[in-house]
Amino acid sequence: GAGVSQSPSNKVTEKGKDVELRCDPISGHTALYWYRQRLGQGLEFLIYFQGNSAPDKSGLPSDRFSAERTGESVSTLTIQRTQQEDSAVYLCASSLSPRGFTEAFFGQGTRLTVV
Amino acid sequence: GQQLNQSPQSMFIQEGEDVSMNCTSSSIFNTWLWYKQDPGEGPVLLIALYKAGELTSNGRLTAQFGITRKDSFLNISASIPSDVGIYFCAGATNAGGTSYGKLTFGQGTILTVHP
């Protein structure tokens, strides 16, 4: 597709369950980012992938959060044993180059609700 | 950690009025960015600023990178109804290759334009 695609667009899960969120970046974009946006808040950095380099995981809030990326394609963000405070919109973005966060294109996000 | 204080939190204006919003930081950023987010969408980049003192325009939008590198403002002139949305500032330190993806966002300014 032409843009960053995220799925599902909405996810309601029970507290304690695991969830997987998917991001399909724009083809050819080497950098991929995950951010979290709580209601009424700005975006919080979670993790950043750049090519084959080790990802920057410094924004992951706890060890219940993990993310993987296969090469320069799809990424999945996994949240284990979800808690109510995990409810947020999870946004993925991709860009063409390491310096290219200014050229980063965001997906529409996955709205996660933990009940 | 780094925080950005964005103000005002919300603005209600009449069509045709000018708008100004700003961000301040407790620490220095090397890059300032301004994004707009529409409901249900990811943020879209409006303006990027790379040098202290830089003043950049994009149509009716003008943004400046403060001399101290700890602040930035965004002005919108002659507002129109489609300017409605949430505006976010974001800063980056560009401290190294793995830092490029790590943006710190302000809390957002909700703009409402009355026709």
Side-chain angles (χ1 to χ4, degrees):
Chain A
V4 176
S5 177
Q6 291 187 246
S7 61
S9 54
N10 280 285
K11 175 73 177 178
V12 180
T13 189
E14 291 181 353
K15 179 181 172 181
K17 301 272 188 179
D18 297 351
V19 294
E20 251 188 27
L21 313 180
R22 177 186 169 108
C23 173
D24 284 273
I26 293 172
S27 177
H29 280 194
T30 62
L32 186 147
Y33 324 81
W34 284 97
Y35 284 83
R36 176 171 70 178
Q37 186 176 28
R38 290 197 166 111
L39 187 64
Q41 301 294 316
L43 279 67
E44 300 172 72
F45 170 80
L46 296 177
I47 188 169
Y48 162 58
F49 294 91
Q50 171 52 46
N52 294 320
S53 302
D56 180 347
K57 305 180 181 181
S58 61
L60 295 178
S62 77
D63 58 9
R64 296 186 296 103
F65 287 72
S66 63
E68 291 183 350
R69 188 182 186 194
T70 306
E72 294 181 354
S73 61
V74 171
S75 175
T76 55
L77 177 69
T78 302
I79 309 173
Q80 295 178 310
R81 304 181 303 282
T82 52
Q83 304 295 312
Q84 287 184 328
E85 63 262 26
D86 299 336
S87 296
V89 175
Y90 290 83
L91 288 157
C92 174
S94 70
S95 68
L96 198 55
S97 68
R99 192 180 168 79
F101 58 74
T102 58
E103 305 150 10
F105 295 87
F106 281 85
Q108 292 184 314
T110 293
R111 181 175 298 279
L112 175 66
T113 305
V114 182
V115 296
Chain B
Q2 294 174 324
Q3 291 189 353
L4 289 184
N5 294 311
Q6 186 172 346
S7 64
Q9 286 187 319
S10 60
M11 302 183 73
F12 298 84
I13 62 169
Q14 292 292 131
E15 182 177 0
E17 289 184 355
D18 297 344
V19 171
S20 184
M21 58 192 80
N22 69 84
C23 271
T24 59
S25 169
S26 57
S27 54
I28 287 172
F29 287 108
N30 295 326
T31 300
W32 282 92
L33 308 168
W34 285 92
Y35 286 87
K36 179 177 182 243
Q37 186 176 29
D38 292 326
E41 302 290 330
V44 174
L45 181 67
L46 299 174
I47 290 183
L49 302 158
Y50 300 102
K51 289 168 53 175
E54 179 181 356
L55 183 72
T56 297
S57 292
N58 178 8
R60 293 179 297 106
L61 277 60
T62 302
Q64 183 157 32
F65 190 144
I67 291 290
T68 65
R69 293 194 284 164
K70 292 184 178 182
D71 64 303
S72 176
F73 72 74
L74 174 71
N75 287 342
I76 305 173
S77 63
S79 58
I80 59 178
S82 61
D83 291 334
V84 164
I86 305 176
Y87 292 78
F88 291 101
C89 62
T93 58
N94 297 7
T98 58
S99 296
Y100 285 146
K102 192 184 301 183
L103 295 175
T104 301
F105 279 79
Q107 306 96 317
T109 295
I110 301 171
L111 179 64
T112 303
V113 180
H114 294 288

XYZ file of all heavy atoms in Angstrom, chain A residues 70-104:
260
model
N 11.031 -7.952 11.193
C 11.699 -8.874 10.286
C 12.314 -8.072 9.150
O 11.582 -7.527 8.312
C 10.695 -9.891 9.712
O 10.014 -10.518 10.783
C 11.420 -10.922 8.877
N 13.636 -7.976 9.154
C 14.305 -7.223 8.101
C 13.829 -5.793 8.063
O 13.846 -5.095 9.069
N 13.412 -5.355 6.904
C 12.910 -3.989 6.767
C 11.427 -4.037 6.424
O 10.916 -3.198 5.698
C 13.693 -3.238 5.692
C 15.143 -3.028 6.069
C 15.928 -2.255 5.032
O 15.381 -1.968 3.942
O 17.104 -1.940 5.307
N 10.736 -5.023 7.005
C 9.317 -5.132 6.696
C 8.496 -5.042 7.969
O 8.727 -4.193 8.820
C 9.059 -6.433 5.943
O 9.435 -7.540 6.738
N 7.563 -5.938 8.090
C 6.551 -5.882 9.130
C 7.155 -5.870 10.530
O 8.167 -6.516 10.800
C 5.610 -7.094 8.979
C 4.670 -7.232 10.156
C 4.829 -6.982 7.677
N 6.488 -5.133 11.418
C 6.846 -5.150 12.833
C 5.619 -5.525 13.658
O 4.490 -5.189 13.292
C 7.358 -3.780 13.267
O 7.605 -3.749 14.664
N 5.856 -6.236 14.740
C 4.777 -6.529 15.676
C 5.167 -6.034 17.067
O 6.308 -6.209 17.501
C 4.466 -8.030 15.754
O 5.670 -8.732 16.066
C 3.906 -8.536 14.451
N 4.230 -5.415 17.721
C 4.388 -4.978 19.106
C 3.517 -5.893 19.948
O 2.319 -6.020 19.690
C 3.944 -3.516 19.262
C 3.983 -2.932 20.672
C 5.421 -2.767 21.164
C 3.267 -1.584 20.713
N 4.126 -6.545 20.905
C 3.408 -7.486 21.764
C 3.337 -6.943 23.179
O 4.348 -6.482 23.722
C 4.098 -8.861 21.767
O 4.162 -9.363 20.432
C 3.334 -9.845 22.635
N 2.151 -6.991 23.742
C 1.965 -6.615 25.144
C 1.435 -7.847 25.861
O 0.373 -8.372 25.517
C 0.980 -5.445 25.309
C 1.372 -4.283 24.398
C 0.939 -4.988 26.767
C 0.352 -3.149 24.375
N 2.193 -8.300 26.832
C 1.790 -9.489 27.586
C 1.062 -9.074 28.860
O 1.337 -8.013 29.438
C 3.026 -10.320 27.946
C 3.744 -10.896 26.743
C 4.993 -11.666 27.149
O 5.812 -11.164 27.907
N 5.119 -12.881 26.661
N 0.145 -9.932 29.281
C -0.570 -9.709 30.551
C -1.048 -8.256 30.642
O -0.702 -7.520 31.567
C 0.340 -10.043 31.726
C 0.904 -11.471 31.662
C 1.793 -11.791 32.870
N 2.901 -10.868 33.026
C 4.017 -10.891 32.332
N 4.185 -11.805 31.383
N 4.986 -10.024 32.568
N -1.860 -7.870 29.685
C -2.272 -6.465 29.575
C -2.913 -5.954 30.863
O -3.607 -6.691 31.586
C -3.267 -6.275 28.417
O -4.338 -7.223 28.553
C -2.588 -6.440 27.082
N -2.668 -4.687 31.113
C -3.235 -3.973 32.254
C -4.082 -2.814 31.734
O -3.921 -2.380 30.588
C -2.125 -3.427 33.144
C -1.152 -4.473 33.648
C -1.818 -5.467 34.582
O -2.534 -5.063 35.502
N -1.613 -6.752 34.350
N -4.954 -2.297 32.575
C -5.832 -1.215 32.141
C -5.049 0.019 31.730
O -5.452 0.747 30.810
C -6.852 -0.876 33.224
C -7.931 -1.945 33.366
C -9.006 -1.582 34.359
O -8.747 -0.901 35.340
N -10.215 -2.063 34.112
N -3.901 0.246 32.365
C -3.116 1.423 32.004
C -2.451 1.300 30.631
O -1.868 2.263 30.131
C -2.033 1.721 33.052
C -0.978 0.653 33.208
C -1.262 -0.271 34.371
O -2.438 -0.424 34.743
O -0.282 -0.836 34.911
N -2.541 0.096 30.027
C -2.015 -0.075 28.669
C -2.975 0.472 27.624
O -2.623 0.577 26.439
C -1.767 -1.557 28.374
C -0.744 -2.189 29.302
O 0.102 -1.447 29.858
O -0.803 -3.417 29.507
N -4.190 0.801 28.025
C -5.177 1.345 27.082
C -4.653 2.648 26.486
O -4.310 3.583 27.213
C -6.506 1.609 27.795
O -7.065 0.414 28.260
N -4.585 2.687 25.168
C -4.017 3.847 24.464
C -4.127 3.579 22.970
O -4.517 2.486 22.544
C -2.549 4.059 24.841
N -3.755 4.579 22.193
C -3.580 4.371 20.754
C -2.098 4.121 20.509
O -1.250 4.890 20.968
C -4.050 5.588 19.938
C -3.752 5.385 18.457
C -5.542 5.828 20.152
N -1.798 3.037 19.825
C -0.413 2.688 19.514
C -0.159 3.040 18.056
O -0.804 2.514 17.154
C -0.160 1.205 19.807
C -0.164 0.944 21.293
C -1.366 0.760 21.982
C 1.027 0.942 22.029
C -1.384 0.573 23.360
C 1.016 0.747 23.404
C -0.187 0.572 24.058
O -0.200 0.395 25.420
N 0.763 3.962 17.857
C 1.047 4.494 16.531
C 2.390 3.984 16.024
O 3.374 3.938 16.760
C 1.078 6.024 16.572
C -0.278 6.710 16.745
C -0.110 8.097 17.323
C -1.004 6.792 15.418
N 2.399 3.629 14.774
C 3.618 3.199 14.103
C 3.958 4.221 13.028
O 3.061 4.815 12.417
C 3.391 1.821 13.480
S 4.748 1.216 12.476
N 5.229 4.448 12.819
C 5.674 5.352 11.758
C 6.880 4.737 11.070
O 7.615 3.944 11.668
C 6.022 6.731 12.321
N 7.095 5.102 9.821
C 8.297 4.651 9.125
C 8.899 5.811 8.355
O 8.209 6.787 8.033
C 7.997 3.481 8.182
O 7.241 3.901 7.066
N 10.186 5.710 8.125
C 10.861 6.747 7.343
C 11.965 6.113 6.509
O 12.416 4.996 6.766
C 11.434 7.843 8.244
O 12.492 7.350 9.029
N 12.418 6.891 5.544
C 13.324 6.369 4.531
C 14.740 6.190 5.032
O 15.463 5.338 4.583
C 13.323 7.323 3.330
C 13.842 6.800 1.981
C 13.089 5.544 1.580
C 13.704 7.871 0.932
N 15.153 6.999 6.003
C 16.554 6.987 6.399
C 16.661 7.217 7.898
O 15.710 7.643 8.526
C 17.319 8.084 5.662
O 16.884 9.343 6.108
N 17.829 6.935 8.475
C 17.994 7.122 9.924
C 17.715 8.536 10.353
O 17.193 8.782 11.412
C 19.469 6.777 10.156
C 19.865 5.952 9.018
C 19.017 6.376 7.864
N 18.074 9.498 9.500
C 17.862 10.883 9.880
C 16.465 11.332 9.496
O 16.110 12.478 9.647
C 18.918 11.758 9.178
C 18.981 13.163 9.706
C 20.032 14.001 8.984
N 19.884 15.392 9.318
C 20.324 15.928 10.439
N 20.930 15.175 11.335
N 20.148 17.207 10.687
N 15.722 10.395 8.987
C 14.482 10.780 8.321
C 13.266 10.828 9.179
O 12.165 10.699 8.686
N 13.431 11.050 10.492
C 12.205 11.121 11.272
C 11.364 12.284 10.840
O 10.175 12.313 11.028
C 12.494 11.168 12.767
C 13.373 12.322 13.189
C 12.885 13.613 13.245
C 14.689 12.098 13.539
C 13.686 14.659 13.635
C 15.504 13.147 13.929
C 15.008 14.429 13.982
N 11.971 13.281 10.217
C 11.159 14.385 9.735
C 10.331 13.965 8.548
O 9.350 14.578 8.220
C 12.036 15.560 9.306
O 12.933 15.116 8.282
C 12.828 16.084 10.460
N 10.766 12.895 7.888
C 10.007 12.397 6.753
C 9.150 11.216 7.188
O 8.662 10.481 6.367
C 10.968 11.929 5.653
C 11.967 12.981 5.224
C 13.274 12.347 4.747
O 13.313 11.117 4.581
O 14.246 13.092 4.569
N 9.033 11.032 8.483
C 8.308 9.879 8.990
C 6.831 10.014 8.710
O 6.238 11.077 8.884
C 8.546 9.716 10.492
